[in-house]
Structures are given as structure tokens and as C-alpha cells.
């Protein structure tokens, strides 16, 4: 089963992708994580992407689609995959379709901007191992220190209030149109993102016909 997770930045796509990996037994392809790893490693792709991400802008299509093409060709995607964070534009969606990438369901996690702003500005990420926390929903046991490795946690530059608002504006202008694109293909499934994490997962499994 090949899935796409849609939703504004901070809607919970990454969290749901991790849970769906366990439920469905297929890998999640998070372009955000792959890009951040490339930035941390100082790769050519990472350097290209960094200036865009730091300013809350979308990374160019050729960079994103290059990463995705490499990933879906790997053996662990033979039974299916979950795309988290791509496509983000109509051009990307059309390019995936042109490449013959089959999609079975497109799940859009629906949530108000005000809720997202509270979620994202409260996120903290370990500067060493990348573990993710939230000052309200999932705080570290020791303030400012990662539970896993003890390193400092910090707010990502793309989680500051100004950048979050800019990212939401970009989402509404460039990515939300994908809902119409996939609705026309009868692939779109809407899920309420403002509820308990486990309930969101259950609803996703329900709408894709894979309740387990």
C-alpha cells in the first residue's frame, strides 16, 4: 500500500507515519528528516536545502524528487511506503504521477492554524541525536536536556513563531491545492488532526481500509 500524508507543518504527519510503520509494516519516507540529515552531514544536497529551510521556504523540486526517487527504489519499499512531506506542490504531484509512482490513498490531517502554531513553537529537538520533544505535550525529564543522550535540546530555526507563520502561509498557497488534485482522482481521505494521537491513527486506518 502506497500512501501520502498531507497536512500543514506541525499537523502530526511524522508522528502518524511512525505509528503506521508499525501497523502496516511499510517504511515511511520523510523528506524533512532526510533533508535535515543531509544538512547535518554537510552534503551537497544539504547545503542547497539549508538556506530554503532556514527561511521557511520550500526546497526546490529537483532536490526533493531526487531524494524520493532514490528512496522508493530501495528493496524495503517493494511492499509499499508512506510519503511524509512530499509532494508539496502541484508540480511535484504531477511529476510523481509522470514517473509512474502509484498512490493508493492520500490522507490529509486537518487542523486549525492556531493549534499548529502552539504545537510547533513548543517543539524542541536534541542537538546531537535529533530526538523530538514538546515543552507541554512531551517535555524532557530534565529541562533543556535530551532524555536519550543528555545533550542540549533547542528550538529549530524553522519552529520560531515568525517562521511557523511563514511556513503555514506557504502551505496554504502552494500545498493545499493538492487536496483538489487528489480528490479528483478519488484518492483523498480527510482525518481530524485535533484529537488524541491514537484516535487519529485509528481514523487513518479506517479510511484506508486497513484497520488492524
Amino acid at each position: 500500500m502506497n500512501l501520502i500524508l498531507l497536512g500543514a507543518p506541525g499537523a502530526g504527519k511524522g508522528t502518524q507515519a511512525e505509528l503506521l510503520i508499525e501497523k502496516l509494516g511499510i517504511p515511511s519516507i520523510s523528506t524533512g528528516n532526510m533533508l535535515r540529515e543531509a544538512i547535518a552531514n554537510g552534503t551537497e544536497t544539504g547545503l542547497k536545502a539549508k538556506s530554503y529551510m532556514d527561511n521557511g521556504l520550500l526546497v526546490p523540486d529537483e532536490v526533493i524528487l531526487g531524494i524520493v526517487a532514490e528512496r522508493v527504489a530501495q528493496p524495503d519499499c517493494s511492499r509499499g511506503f508512506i510519503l511524509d512531506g512530499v509532494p508539496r506542490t502541484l508540480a511535484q504531484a504531477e511529476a510523481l504521477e509522470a514517473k509512474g509512482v502509484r498512490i493508493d490513498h492520500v490522507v490529509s490531517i486537518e487542523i486549525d492554524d492556531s493549534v499548529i502554531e502552539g504545537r510547533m513553537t513548543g517543539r524542541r529537538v536534541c542537538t546531537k541525536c535529533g530526538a523530538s520533544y514538546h515543552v507541554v505535550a512531551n517535555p524532557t525529564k530534565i529541562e533543556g536536556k535530551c532524555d536519550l543522550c543528555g545533550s542540549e535540546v533547542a528550538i529549530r530555526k524553522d519552529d520560531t513563531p515568525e517562521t511557523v507563520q511563514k511556513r503555514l502561509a506557504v502551505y496554504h498557497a502552494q500545498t493545499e491545492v493538492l487536496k483538489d488534485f487528489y480528490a479528483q482522482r478519488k484518492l483523498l481521505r480527510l482525518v481530524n488532526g485535533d484529537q488524541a494521537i491514537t484516535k487519529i491513527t485509528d481514523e487513518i486506518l479506517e479510511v484506508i481500509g486497513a484497520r488492524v
Side-chain angles (χ1 to χ4, degrees):
M1 183 180 289
N2 299 342
L3 305 177
I4 291 174
L5 292 184
L6 287 182
K13 300 185 297 296
T15 298
Q16 291 304 319
E18 290 178 8
L19 294 169
L20 291 171
I21 290 170
E22 298 179 16
K23 298 287 187 179
L24 301 175
I26 56 178
S28 172
I29 301 172
S30 169
T31 52
N33 287 344
M34 284 190 287
L35 285 170
R36 281 189 284 273
E37 182 177 337
I39 289 171
N41 293 335
T43 67
E44 183 178 353
T45 301
L47 294 174
K48 287 181 181 178
K50 187 176 189 305
S51 62
Y52 291 91
M53 293 178 66
D54 282 351
N55 288 290
L57 301 175
L58 294 177
V59 177
D61 286 357
E62 62 269 18
V63 178
I64 295 291
L65 295 177
I67 290 173
V68 173
E70 292 174 0
R71 186 66 185 85
V72 298
Q74 294 181 16
D76 64 336
C77 290
S78 61
R79 293 180 58 248
F81 52 79
I82 303 164
L83 291 182
D84 168 15
V86 66
R88 287 189 177 182
T89 65
L90 191 57
Q92 287 182 2
E94 291 171 342
L96 283 177
E97 194 169 77
K99 287 176 180 292
V101 178
R102 191 192 86 250
I103 299 299
D104 299 305
H105 301 281
V106 178
V107 177
S108 178
I109 302 175
E110 304 287 298
I111 190 165
D112 289 341
D113 284 2
S114 59
V115 177
I116 285 175
E117 288 181 28
R119 285 183 179 181
M120 294 183 69
T121 57
R123 289 199 302 197
R124 300 293 182 269
V125 177
C126 177
T127 55
K128 184 175 182 181
C129 74
S132 182
Y133 302 93
H134 192 280
V135 294
V136 176
N138 181 33
T140 55
K141 294 176 182 176
I142 300 174
E143 186 174 352
K145 300 290 184 181
C146 176
D147 293 351
L148 300 179
C149 70
S151 299
E152 297 286 335
V153 298
I155 185 170
R156 293 198 328 237
K157 188 172 181 180
D158 54 351
D159 283 340
T160 62
E162 297 79 12
T163 305
V164 168
Q165 290 169 8
K166 185 182 292 185
R167 292 175 71 194
L168 286 170
V170 169
Y171 170 77
H172 291 306
Q174 300 187 28
T175 306
E176 204 161 27
V177 296
L178 293 180
K179 288 161 66 173
D180 287 337
F181 178 83
Y182 287 115
Q184 291 172 7
R185 287 152 178 76
K186 303 187 185 304
L187 298 175
L188 183 67
R189 319 284 182 250
L190 302 182
V191 170
N192 176 16
D194 193 11
Q195 57 182 329
I197 290 172
T198 54
K199 289 187 176 181
I200 299 172
T201 308
D202 287 342
E203 193 171 331
I204 291 174
L205 293 173
E206 185 77 37
V207 298
I208 66 174
R211 180 174 284 281
V212 292

